[in-house]
């Protein structure tokens, strides 16, 4: 995996590593601003999605894509629950607009006008195909017409992403990461609609959250690669250190999965009448904590080793230690206090930030190959 370490020869040319890398690819100011906004809004939407669930507003809008059968926006009868749910839907639009802007800017800067025009042709074709799919499906089943149209649009976006990556001659990493974010946002909107149409099925709700968490990691990876010097990379840490780092990632993934299952069996279903998993939430809470403590131990070992050997990821590992320590503290506190919604929401957001920080750590396991080596 790549990282952001700048070779000494490059760093001596003046300016910081980030400045040097940005100057070499000529991003200017727009892309860094949009990339950071993408990361921030992807994190915020986890908070707003959590607010929907934790306030019992999951069915505040009973329909999708409309809020009610007759209205796109919530009506006074839906009260605060409708406002909270619709606010989360609006946040999806903000995230999507930013993701589109990042893709277009990356394509224009890397592939030039030709790449930009190709993507716009795909966009136009996708809209036409989605409208045609909607027109065909509506007479057959009006409830499925919009999901079908959304699915067609998603397929076109995926096709556009594949074409862009295959035809790019440089910085495929940035093109791929930007497209993954956009595809993920479109897919998340689709899954969000399925979540409403299935009455907040806990498994789909859990998948929806996990997908959002992964998008936070992808936008974090884009930030790292955006500031990195392009070119071949080599491992910057001992083999055993890299192996333990990847085992740590497995522990993190298991912890998150059991955390999602625990929440799916707990009291915060998004609506009072929603069916739960049926698992014992108390037992799952203990099971969730086991890989969490293993994760904390592994990260502590990696951090001590990295600082002792002065390895590249040491500073980000320190950040990860702090994030996980806070996460463990919040988890223990919320369990003792009977799962208050605010603490559960904080726990959800911290999980995404911990995963994003781990992603940055992994991206620092390699460094650019220098000509002097």
């Amino acid at each position: 995996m790549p990282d952001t370490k700048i070779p000494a020869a490059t760093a001596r040319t003046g300016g910081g590593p980030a400045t040097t890398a940005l100057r070499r690819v000529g991003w200017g100011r727009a892309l860094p601003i949009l990339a950071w906004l993408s990361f921030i809004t992807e994190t915020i939407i986890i908070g707003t999605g959590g607010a929907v669930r934790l306030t019992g507003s999951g069915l505040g809008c009973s329909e999708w894509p409309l809020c009610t059968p007759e209205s796109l926006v919530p009506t006074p009868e839906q009260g605060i629950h409708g406002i909270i749910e619709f606010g989360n839907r609006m946040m999806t639009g903000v995230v999507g607009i930013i993701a589109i802007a990042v893709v277009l800017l990356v394509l224009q800067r890397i592939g030039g006008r030709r790449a930009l025009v190709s993507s716009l042709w795909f966009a136009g074709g996708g809209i036409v195909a989605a409208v045609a799919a909607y027109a065909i499906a509506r007479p057959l089943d009006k409830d499925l017409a919009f999901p079908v149209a959304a699915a067609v649009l998603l397929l076109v976006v995926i096709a556009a992403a594949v074409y862009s990556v295959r035809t790019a001659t440089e910085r495929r990493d940035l093109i791929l990461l930007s497209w993954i974010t956009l595809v993920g946002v479109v897919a998340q909107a689709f899954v969000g609609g399925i979540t409403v149409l299935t009455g907040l099925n806990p498994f789909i709700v859990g998948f929806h959250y996990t997908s959002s968490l992964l998008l936070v990691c992808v936008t974090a990876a884009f930030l790292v690669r955006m500031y990195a010097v392009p070119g071949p990379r080599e491992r910057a840490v001992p083999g055993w250190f890299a192996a333990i780092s990847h085992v740590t990632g497995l522990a993190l993934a298991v912890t998150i999965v059991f955390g999602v299952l625990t929440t799916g069996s707990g009291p915060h279903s998004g609506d009072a009448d929603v069916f739960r998993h049926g698992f014992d939430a108390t037992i799952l809470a203990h099971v969730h904590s086991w890989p969490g403590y293993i994760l904390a131990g592994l990260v502590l070992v990696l951090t001590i080793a990295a600082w002792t050997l002065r390895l590249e990821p040491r500073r980000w590992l320190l950040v990860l230690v702090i994030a996980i320590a806070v996460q463990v503290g919040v988890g223990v506190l919320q369990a003792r206090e009977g799962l208050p919604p605010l603490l559960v929401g904080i726990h959800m957001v911290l999980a995404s930030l911990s995963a994003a920080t781990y992603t940055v750590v992994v991206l620092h396991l390699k460094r650019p190959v220098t000509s002097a080596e």
Side-chain angles (χ1 to χ4, degrees):
M1 297 295 289
D3 82 320
T4 58
K5 184 175 181 181
I6 307 300
T10 304
R12 287 194 295 268
T13 60
T19 303
T20 304
L22 287 175
R23 187 184 299 123
R24 288 185 62 177
V25 294
W27 294 133
R29 294 183 178 180
L31 184 59
I33 292 173
L34 287 170
W36 276 104
L37 284 176
S38 183
F39 172 75
I40 292 170
T41 53
E42 288 289 358
T43 304
I44 290 175
I45 202 170
I46 287 184
T48 61
V52 170
R53 184 169 190 171
L54 298 170
T55 59
S57 304
L59 296 178
C61 287
S62 59
E63 305 295 324
W64 180 81
L66 300 179
C67 191
T68 72
E70 297 81 23
S71 175
L72 174 65
V73 299
T75 61
E77 292 76 13
Q78 292 170 291
I80 188 64
H81 295 308
I83 294 174
I84 293 173
E85 163 64 9
F86 187 74
N88 185 56
R89 295 187 182 188
M90 291 296 292
M91 193 64 202
T92 300
V94 172
V95 170
I97 291 171
I98 294 173
I100 291 172
V102 171
V103 166
L104 294 179
L105 188 54
V106 168
L107 290 176
Q108 191 275 328
R109 291 300 182 96
I110 295 177
R113 183 174 180 274
R114 181 177 180 181
L116 183 61
V117 170
S118 296
S119 66
L120 293 176
W121 273 109
F122 269 106
I127 293 173
V128 171
V131 170
Y134 181 87
I136 294 172
R138 183 169 176 78
L140 302 176
D141 190 332
K142 65 178 183 179
D143 293 331
L144 290 179
F146 196 87
V148 169
V152 170
L153 182 60
L154 176 60
L155 291 175
V156 173
V157 173
I158 294 174
V162 172
Y163 176 81
S164 294
V165 174
R166 287 177 62 89
T167 56
T169 57
E170 57 180 328
R171 296 316 304 261
R172 288 186 175 181
D173 54 344
L174 292 181
I175 294 176
L176 178 61
L177 289 169
S178 64
W179 273 113
I180 288 175
T181 302
L182 180 56
V183 170
V185 171
V186 176
Q188 280 292 77
F190 179 73
V191 173
I194 299 300
T195 301
V196 174
L197 296 177
T198 57
L200 304 185
N201 181 288
F203 291 102
I204 298 179
V205 172
F207 175 77
H208 196 41
Y209 167 76
T210 305
S211 301
S212 296
L213 181 146
L214 291 175
L215 286 179
V216 173
C217 295
V218 172
T219 53
F222 183 92
L223 285 169
V224 174
R225 296 299 292 124
M226 179 183 66
Y227 288 110
V229 173
R233 316 183 90 73
E234 62 184 2
R235 197 173 68 218
V237 299
W240 61 266
F241 188 94
I244 295 177
S245 298
H246 294 304
V247 171
T248 301
L250 177 61
L252 175 62
V254 172
T255 302
I256 292 172
V257 168
F258 276 106
V260 170
L261 290 176
T262 301
T263 303
S265 302
H268 304 297
S269 61
D271 189 83
D273 299 324
V274 170
F275 169 76
R276 312 303 284 138
H277 285 147
F279 302 134
D280 189 318
T282 303
I283 294 176
L284 274 179
H286 288 291
V287 175
H288 168 54
S289 68
W290 300 338
Y293 291 132
I294 293 173
L295 169 65
L298 288 171
V299 171
L300 186 60
V301 168
L302 287 172
T303 303
I304 294 173
W307 279 93
T308 301
L309 301 175
R310 299 192 63 79
L311 300 178
E312 175 67 21
R314 62 186 182 278
R315 293 181 177 84
W316 281 107
L317 277 168
L318 187 58
V319 174
L320 185 57
V321 165
I322 296 172
I324 291 178
V326 175
Q327 180 76 327
V328 169
V330 172
V332 171
L333 182 60
Q334 71 172 9
R336 291 181 176 178
E337 297 297 323
L339 302 179
L342 179 60
L343 288 180
V344 175
I346 293 173
H347 199 56
M348 292 171 61
V349 175
L350 282 175
S352 68
L353 293 177
S354 297
T357 305
Y358 170 77
T359 301
V360 177
V361 169
V362 171
L363 293 174
H364 279 77
L365 295 180
K366 287 190 176 183
R367 64 186 171 210
V369 176
T370 64
S371 57
E373 295 180 346

